C-alpha cells in the first residue's frame, strides 16, 4: 500500500536530490523509500554487541600476528600515558 509523506527540506537540497535520483534512473520518492528500507533493515539485522559491516571492514585493515594480545598493548599504553 502506498501513501503520501510530506517532508520539509531546503529547496537546494531537494533540487540536488532530484538530479541525483534522475541520474540513477529513480524518482525522488523511490530514492527516499529505498533509503528508509536500507536504514530500517541494516539496523534491525544487528543486535547489540554484533559488529556492523563498517566495523568489520575496519577490522580487516589492521593485520597482526595470531598471538597478538590487544589487552597487553592497551595496558602498556595506559601505563605509559599515566606513568603507572
Amino acid at each position: 500500500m502506498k501513501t503520501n509523506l510530506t517532508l520539509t527540506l531546503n529547496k537546494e537540497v531537494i533540487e540536488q536530490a532530484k538530479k541525483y535520483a534522475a541520474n540513477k534512473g529513480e524518482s525522488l520518492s523511490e530514492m527516499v523509500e529505498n533509503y528508509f528500507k536500507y536504514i530500517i533493515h541494516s539496523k534491525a539485522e544487528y543486535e547489540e554487541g554484533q559488529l556492523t559491516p563498517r566495523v568489520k571492514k575496519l577490522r580487516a585493515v589492521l593485520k597482526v600476528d595470531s598471538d597478538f594480545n590487544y589487552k597487553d598493548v592497551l595496558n602498556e599504553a595506559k601505563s605509559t600515558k599515566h606513568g603507572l
Side-chain angles (χ1 to χ4, degrees), residues 13-76:
V13 170
I14 294 170
E15 293 305 316
Q16 290 176 350
K18 284 181 180 180
K19 288 178 186 176
Y20 180 84
N23 287 337
K24 296 288 186 180
E26 294 181 314
S27 69
L28 187 54
S29 291
E30 289 172 319
M31 191 173 80
V32 171
E33 181 177 357
N34 289 336
Y35 175 71
F36 285 159
K37 286 177 182 177
Y38 169 77
I39 61 173
I40 290 166
H41 294 294
S42 66
K43 297 289 183 186
E45 288 177 8
Y46 301 100
E47 297 173 13
E48 191 171 328
Q50 285 187 310
L51 299 178
T52 64
R54 181 178 287 174
V55 173
K56 286 180 182 178
K57 188 175 182 181
L58 290 172
R59 282 182 63 190
V61 172
L62 182 62
K63 304 291 184 205
V64 295
D65 295 330
S66 59
D67 63 343
F68 178 78
N69 187 334
Y70 80 93
K71 288 185 180 182
D72 290 343
V73 175
L74 179 62
N75 288 333
E76 183 179 332

